[in-house]
């Protein structure tokens, strides 16, 4: 790798930031009782910031003393949605000066589920893809613990290969918990539509026609609303429409729920939305659904804000952008003489292991401050060069989602999977046979148990710049801090990255939801090329480090908001074995 620009710099704060001492103290982080995270009110976080501000890396030339630059202000005030519930306790949290309202979860709340689900006799879970298995099993187990007689029934299309897997999970035709898709919809009071986004777009009319009047449609993604909006349509007026959207893939939702049997409250956070409420029950039903899934905390959003942030996030740091940056950096490192195995470790293993674990438990500032002086300089070089190239693609991607272009792209791609109009079928191929991913197989085959990989400063700088750029785009677009942090940080480091560490990025790209797989294939090359053509060229040309960017990173209020969100869940590292299976049934080679 070419040497970073020869420069010398120090980040200093203005006198108005006197609370952050410029003197370095020995850091012995005071861990909160619920998570290994620094408390924002403790001297430890101040010391972390002091350490960030006070370093001075010298090479050639005089040090650049940079003025304090305020963290970028949002164009819109972050969304803060209030709600009323007669069943659960609503709590206020303050995130970077903005009040938001949440409901904390926990197994001790399962006893409230019969009240939350009043009037519901059957919950129909439609589909057995990423979310279906996890949500169905969690709901069934929670309702059983609550001694409720509500039936959780799986609805699948005739001939689906998923019937065998549903039976293996304990759902059967004999006990009335497994059946035909449309029969299940017709007999359910709450219909959780968890089929793929493309399938929802093609089948929504039939789904609506089979729903009982005054029943409730539950979604775990706002995609269908975006599709209906693009057609100038809306949901039927004789049903309620709610959403509960776990901020993690289905296997994470199930695995952490199971772990939560040992540690109360373990799980994946979720957002909820009430789009249409015809009888006043919608909010309590949505919150009951989220609590039953094991969500440590549930925050409010709108269906529109959810699909914008979620589809955007999949194409950004959750999958597409990570896919793009590791391809770019692997090529970079090997071209500069690094062995293939070491290059893979310094890209994929570094991000999905060491970086993710550190951000999950201590935050981005702790990651940065764990580096020595030279490492900080390399981090700053990568961060400075990569931030705007990443933001450029993220900004474009968000607008494509918000205007409906990305949703139309997904729907049309789904229709190309089968023969139409005399043209052949074009299903998605796999990416896992290229050089980088074959190297990854060898690395994982010899990796010691529990090995989180190295902490490579250049890779860390690129990855954190991507994370901060995504945070800033969502902030500028007016999303709540709860939504920003869950979509940009928690879902990444606590849900997807641990699975990618176990099985590889290519495995995730080849086996996750159709919408995410399509998004990664479309947007990963954009991130790859922009980093290669802009960021890495800037490094090679020894362009100076953008000190304003570095100061903004250190001082950004999002660090404190992340810490608050982190304290709302216990310390539970997601347990992912090397053979972790999250392949959707329709993608399997064997026919069930």
């Amino acid at each position: 790798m070419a040497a970073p620009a020869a420069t010398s710099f120090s980040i200093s704060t203005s006198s108005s930031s006197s609370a952050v001492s410029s003197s370095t103290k020995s850091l012995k982080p005071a861990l909160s009782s619920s998570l290994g995270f620094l408390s924002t009110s403790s001297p430890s976080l101040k010391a972390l910031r002091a350490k960030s501000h006070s370093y001075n890396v010298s090479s050639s030339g005089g040090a650049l003393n940079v003025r304090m630059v305020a963290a970028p202000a949002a164009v819109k005030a972050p969304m803060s949605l209030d709600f009323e519930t007669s069943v659960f306790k609503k709590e206020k949290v303050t995130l970077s000066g903005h009040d938001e309202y949440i409901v904390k979860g926990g197994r001790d709340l399962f006893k409230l589920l019969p009240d939350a689900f009043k009037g519901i006799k059957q919950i129909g879970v439609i589909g057995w893809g990423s979310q279906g298995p996890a949500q169905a099993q969690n709901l069934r187990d929670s309702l059983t613990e609550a001694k409720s007689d509500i039936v959780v029934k799986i609805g699948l299309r005739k001939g689906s290969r998923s019937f065998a897997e549903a039976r293996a999970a304990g759902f059967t035709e004999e006990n009335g918990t497994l059946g035909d898709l449309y029969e299940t919809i017709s007999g359910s009071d709450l219909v959780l539509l968890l089929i793929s986004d493309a399938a929802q777009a093609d089948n929504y009319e039939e789904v609506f026609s089979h729903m009982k009047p005054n029943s409730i449609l539950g979604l775990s993604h706002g995609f269908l609303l975006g599709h209906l909006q693009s057609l100038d349509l809306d949901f039927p007026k004789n049903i309620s429409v709610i959403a509960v959207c776990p901020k993690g893939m289905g296997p994470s939702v199930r695995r952490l729920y199971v772990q939560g049997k040992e540690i109360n409250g373990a799980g994946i956070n979720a957002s909820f939305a009430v789009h249409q409420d015809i009888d006043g029950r919608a909010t309590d039903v949505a919150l009951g659904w989220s609590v039953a899934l094991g969500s440590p905390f549930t925050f409010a959003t709108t269906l529109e804000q959810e699909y914008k942030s979620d589809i955007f996030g999949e194409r950004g740091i959750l999958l597409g952008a990570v896919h793009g940056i590791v391809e770019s950096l692997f090529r970079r490192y090997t071209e500069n003489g690094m062995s293939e195995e070491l290059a893979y470790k310094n890209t994929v293993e570094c991000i999905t292991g060491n970086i993710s674990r550190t951000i999950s438990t201590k935050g981005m500032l702790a990651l940065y401050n764990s580096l020595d002086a030279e490492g900080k300089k390399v981090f700053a070089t990568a961060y400075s060069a990569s931030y705007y190239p990443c933001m450029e693609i993220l900004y474009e991607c968000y607008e494509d989602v918000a205007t409906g272009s990305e949703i139309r792209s997904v729907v049309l791609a789904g229709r190309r999977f089968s023969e139409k109009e005399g043209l052949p079928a074009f299903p998605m191929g796999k990416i896992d046979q290229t050089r980088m991913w074959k190297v990854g197989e060898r690395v994982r085959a010899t990796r010691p148990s529990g090995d989180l990989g190295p902490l490579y400063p250049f890779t860390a700088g690129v990855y954190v710049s991507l994370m901060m750029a995504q945070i800033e785009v969502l902030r500028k677009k007016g999303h709540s801090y709860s939504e920003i942090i869950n979509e940009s940080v928690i879902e990444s480091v606590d849900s997807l990255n641990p699975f990618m560490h176990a099985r590889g990025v290519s495995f995730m790209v080849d086996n996750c939801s159709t919408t995410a797989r399509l998004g990664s294939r479309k947007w990963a090359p954009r991130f790859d090329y922009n980093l290669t053509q802009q960021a890495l060229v800037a490094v090679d040309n020894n362009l100076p480090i953008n000190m304003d960017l570095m100061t903004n990173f250190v001082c950004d209020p999002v660090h404190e908001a992340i810490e608050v969100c982190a304290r709302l869940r216990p310390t539970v590292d997601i347990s992912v074995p090397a053979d972790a299976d999250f392949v959707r049934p329709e993608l399997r080679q064997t026919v069930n």
Side-chain angles (χ1 to χ4, degrees):
M1 187 181 75
T7 188
S8 174
F9 59 97
S10 64
I11 295 180
S12 58
T13 58
S14 68
S15 58
S16 63
S17 300
S18 58
V20 181
S21 169
S22 62
S23 62
T24 52
K25 304 174 182 177
S26 70
L27 291 178
K28 298 179 180 177
L31 304 183
S32 72
S33 59
S34 59
L35 189 83
F37 220 108
L38 297 176
S39 169
T40 55
S41 60
S42 75
S44 299
L45 183 59
K46 295 178 181 179
L48 256 187
R49 282 213 169 110
K51 189 175 180 182
S52 302
H53 291 313
S54 65
Y55 75 89
N56 186 350
V57 180
S58 299
S59 54
S60 61
L64 298 173
N65 291 310
V66 181
R67 63 184 174 82
M68 173 67 173
V69 180
V75 172
K76 301 177 183 178
M79 178 174 290
S80 180
L81 296 174
D82 199 355
F83 57 89
E84 295 300 326
T85 171
S86 61
V87 176
F88 300 100
K89 179 183 177 183
K90 180 180 72 173
E91 299 184 36
K92 182 173 75 174
V93 295
T94 301
L95 303 175
S96 298
H98 299 277
D99 292 339
E100 299 185 19
Y101 299 92
I102 67 166
V103 166
K104 290 183 183 179
R107 305 183 80 84
D108 56 309
L109 299 182
F110 289 174
K111 62 182 181 290
L112 301 178
L113 294 179
D115 289 336
F117 290 139
K118 187 175 295 184
I120 293 175
K121 296 181 179 179
Q122 178 171 294
I123 300 173
V125 179
I126 310 304
W128 193 265
S130 175
Q131 289 288 333
Q135 294 204 28
Q137 292 177 84
N138 290 11
L139 278 164
R140 178 192 61 193
D141 293 355
S142 297
L143 288 167
T144 298
E145 192 168 326
K147 297 180 172 53
S148 169
D149 58 1
I150 296 174
V151 174
V152 177
K153 183 175 182 179
I154 308 300
L156 301 172
R157 57 180 171 78
K158 287 183 172 62
S160 170
R161 285 183 263 178
S162 300
F163 270 96
E165 292 204 3
R167 293 186 191 108
F171 299 95
T172 68
E173 294 91 337
E174 291 75 18
N175 65 13
T177 59
L178 178 63
D180 172 72
L181 186 154
Y182 291 113
E183 289 178 0
T184 301
I185 291 173
S186 296
S188 296
D189 307 293
L190 171 60
V191 175
L192 307 186
L193 190 63
L194 303 181
I195 58 178
S196 73
D197 294 333
Q200 289 186 32
D202 285 341
N203 296 284
Y204 69 89
E205 290 177 300
E206 190 76 4
V207 170
F208 293 165
S209 70
H210 280 83
M211 290 190 66
K212 298 192 296 188
N214 302 318
S215 61
I216 303 172
L217 175 65
L219 304 168
S220 281
H221 191 8
F223 185 96
L224 183 55
L225 173 63
H227 178 63
L228 293 175
Q229 288 175 334
S230 73
L231 302 174
D232 199 26
L233 297 173
D234 204 345
F235 296 96
K237 298 304 180 186
N238 65 342
I239 61 171
S240 294
V241 181
I242 62 176
V244 169
C245 308
K247 300 297 117 179
M249 56 188 296
S252 299
V253 173
R254 179 59 180 171
R255 193 172 294 276
L256 281 180
Y257 176 91
V258 172
Q259 288 177 279
K261 293 179 180 179
E262 303 298 325
I263 301 177
N264 184 39
I268 293 290
N269 300 330
S271 61
F272 88 96
V274 174
H275 183 73
Q276 196 165 281
D277 186 359
I278 63 171
D279 58 11
R281 294 185 298 152
T283 296
D284 285 333
V285 170
L287 290 171
W289 174 12
S290 185
V291 167
L293 293 184
S295 304
F297 83 90
T298 305
F299 61 92
T301 186
T302 68
L303 209 50
E304 183 171 350
Q305 289 290 82
E306 193 285 328
Y307 81 70
K308 289 178 180 178
S309 63
D310 187 78
I311 299 174
F312 165 71
E314 289 174 346
R315 282 136 183 79
I317 200 162
L318 300 182
L319 188 60
V322 171
H323 175 195
I325 67 175
V326 296
E327 292 255 17
S328 176
L329 292 178
F330 178 83
R331 195 168 57 248
R332 165 80 165 187
Y333 297 161
T334 54
E335 287 174 354
N336 282 278
M338 192 178 289
S339 72
E340 291 182 338
E341 285 77 10
L342 185 56
Y344 188 87
K345 291 176 182 178
N346 283 335
T347 53
V348 175
E349 300 279 285
C350 174
I351 288 173
T352 62
N354 204 322
I355 289 174
S356 292
R357 178 67 62 84
T358 303
I359 292 175
S360 172
T361 57
K362 298 179 182 177
M364 286 182 277
L365 283 181
L367 173 73
Y368 172 72
N369 280 306
S370 69
L371 301 170
D372 61 18
E374 182 61 27
K376 287 178 180 176
K377 188 173 93 171
V378 173
F379 177 103
T381 298
Y383 185 99
S384 175
S386 304
Y387 182 87
Y388 285 116
C390 287
M391 179 177 278
E392 178 185 359
I393 306 302
L394 290 166
Y395 188 6
E396 177 187 350
C397 180
Y398 186 94
E399 294 200 326
D400 273 10
V401 173
T403 58
S405 295
E406 195 66 17
I407 289 176
R408 286 190 291 273
S409 176
V410 170
V411 172
L412 292 172
R415 291 170 182 169
R416 292 194 296 271
F417 293 165
S418 56
E419 294 182 20
K420 281 187 174 63
E421 301 172 344
L423 293 170
F426 287 96
M428 281 183 281
K430 292 198 170 188
I431 72 166
D432 63 356
Q433 295 304 303
T434 57
R435 177 174 65 116
M436 178 177 184
W437 307 118
K438 300 306 287 184
V439 172
E441 289 180 8
R442 298 198 301 268
V443 169
R444 289 191 301 277
T446 60
R447 183 174 66 196
S449 177
D451 184 4
L452 294 176
L455 175 55
Y456 199 62
F458 196 90
T459 299
V462 174
Y463 183 76
V464 173
S465 76
L466 169 67
M467 184 171 280
M468 292 298 294
Q470 179 162 315
I471 287 168
E472 184 62 7
V473 169
L474 289 172
R475 187 159 48 189
K476 284 288 196 287
K477 295 296 183 178
H479 290 263
S480 70
Y481 268 105
S482 290
E483 195 156 57
I484 292 169
I485 291 164
N486 278 279
E487 290 288 357
S488 302
V489 183
I490 295 175
E491 185 170 357
S492 176
V493 301
D494 281 346
S495 179
L496 275 75
N497 285 359
F499 271 93
M500 289 195 280
H501 194 67
R503 298 300 301 269
V505 173
S506 64
F507 191 87
M508 179 72 78
V509 172
D510 285 338
N511 293 288
C512 61
S513 72
T514 299
T515 300
R517 290 159 62 213
L518 286 168
S520 184
R521 283 161 172 77
K522 178 177 178 180
W523 291 95
R526 299 292 310 283
F527 285 98
D528 180 346
Y529 294 171
N530 233 34
L531 282 173
T532 300
Q533 295 164 0
Q534 294 186 35
L536 300 183
V537 169
V539 173
D540 288 340
N541 290 338
N542 290 329
L543 293 185
I545 292 169
N546 185 328
M547 299 303 300
D548 286 356
L549 278 180
M550 289 306 300
T551 304
N552 282 344
F553 164 63
V554 170
C555 299
D556 199 299
V558 77
H559 299 301
E560 295 183 3
I562 290 171
E563 187 271 336
V564 173
C565 288
R567 283 192 285 112
L568 293 172
R569 57 157 289 185
T571 304
V572 178
D573 294 326
I574 186 168
S575 172
V576 186
D579 61 349
D581 185 11
F582 51 93
V583 181
R584 295 165 58 215
E586 64 268 31
L587 299 178
R588 301 186 195 283
Q589 297 300 311
T590 57
V591 178
N592 293 326

